């Protein structure tokens, strides 16, 4: 069984004039990344490999998660091929994961993430907001053979806000 965790990078700051790959996180993005990473602490698998796009906003999101979840920064693998918005490129990359890893945590971009979820899970989502956490479980034991999986968990920042409001 394989488990893919897709995390869409946190909200970026469009007020900064820069090329796309260098766009930083906004203050809201930073807050949401901390909020979601704190929320998933108890549901994250015990063992996993972490990959991230090389885009600044994805890297910074991965670093926030790592710091908040005590994941050693040097274990994050930054991959140029994850700087993609295309589902086929994302699929190709995921299917190259070494089978010794059952759990892959991947920080990336839309539209690749939502298209991947809609292609590879039995659940169809209309949108995946920034900072969202999506977990898909696959029956296959070989990353290269993954097909339709089950969307196990979907956590969006606004859901956490709503849950915290209910608790009070």
């Amino acid at each position: 069984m394989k488990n893919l965790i897709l995390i869409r990078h946190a909200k970026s700051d469009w007020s900064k004039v820069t090329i796309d790959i260098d766009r930083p996180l906004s203050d809201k993005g930073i807050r949401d990344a901390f909020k979601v990473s704190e929320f998933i602490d108890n549901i994250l698998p015990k063992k996993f490999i972490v990959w991230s796009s090389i885009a600044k906003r994805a890297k910074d999101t991965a670093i926030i998660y790592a710091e908040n979840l005590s994941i050693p920064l040097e274990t994050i693998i930054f991959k140029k091929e994850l700087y993609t918005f295309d589902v086929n490129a994302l699929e190709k990359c995921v299917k190259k994961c070494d089978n010794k890893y059952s759990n892959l945590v991947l920080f990336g971009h839309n539209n690749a993430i939502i298209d991947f979820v809609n292609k590879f899970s039995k659940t169809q989502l209309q949108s995946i907001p920034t900072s969202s956490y999506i977990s898909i479980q696959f029956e296959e034991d070989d990353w290269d053979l993954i097909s339709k999986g089950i969307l196990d968990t979907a956590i969006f920042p606004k859901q956490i806000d709503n849950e915290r409001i209910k608790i009070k």
Side-chain angles (χ1 to χ4, degrees):
M1 178 176 266
K2 299 297 182 196
N3 184 38
L4 176 63
I5 296 166
L6 297 165
I7 300 171
R8 183 173 173 203
H9 67 76
K11 186 167 183 58
S12 56
D13 185 350
W14 284 84
S15 71
K16 307 287 188 229
V17 179
T18 184
I19 61 172
D20 183 72
I21 199 166
D22 292 333
R23 190 173 309 117
L25 295 177
S26 68
D27 290 342
K28 180 183 183 335
I30 292 167
R31 286 191 306 274
D32 282 351
F34 273 104
K35 177 173 41 180
V36 176
S37 62
E38 177 184 299
F39 191 82
I40 66 164
D41 189 26
N42 294 326
I43 63 170
L44 201 63
K46 298 297 177 221
K47 292 183 178 182
F48 49 84
I49 186 170
V50 180
W51 290 355
S52 174
S53 160
I54 60 168
K56 181 167 177 43
R57 59 194 180 274
K59 287 168 57 174
D60 289 349
T61 303
I63 290 167
I64 289 170
Y65 274 71
E67 290 174 347
N68 213 25
L69 297 168
S70 301
I71 299 167
L73 292 176
E74 63 275 6
T75 64
I76 301 171
I77 300 168
F78 297 99
K79 293 180 161 277
K80 184 177 181 179
E81 59 267 36
L82 289 176
Y83 179 56
T84 185
F85 311 99
D86 178 71
V87 66
N88 296 322
L90 180 59
E91 175 184 348
K92 186 177 177 182
C93 190
V94 168
K95 287 186 171 189
K96 288 181 183 175
C97 188
D98 190 322
N99 285 319
K100 71 180 178 181
Y101 301 106
S102 294
N103 301 296
L104 169 60
V105 178
L106 190 151
F107 293 85
H109 308 272
N110 255 0
N111 286 334
I113 288 179
I114 192 163
D115 291 345
F116 189 97
V117 170
N118 289 339
K119 180 177 180 178
F120 282 93
S121 80
K122 296 172 184 171
T123 305
Q124 297 293 295
L125 297 178
Q126 296 301 312
S127 69
I128 297 177
T130 53
S131 297
S132 293
Y133 171 103
I134 305 289
S135 174
I136 303 173
Q137 291 186 349
F138 298 96
E139 292 294 325
E140 295 83 6
D141 288 323
D142 186 328
W143 284 107
D144 193 42
L145 300 177
I146 61 170
S147 58
K148 285 285 187 189
I150 296 170
L151 194 145
D152 180 59
T153 308
I155 298 171
F156 307 142
K158 284 188 178 183
Q159 286 177 303
I160 297 169
D161 291 338
N162 292 339
E163 286 192 27
R164 288 185 177 169
I165 290 167
K166 290 177 188 174
I167 293 170
K168 291 180 181 179

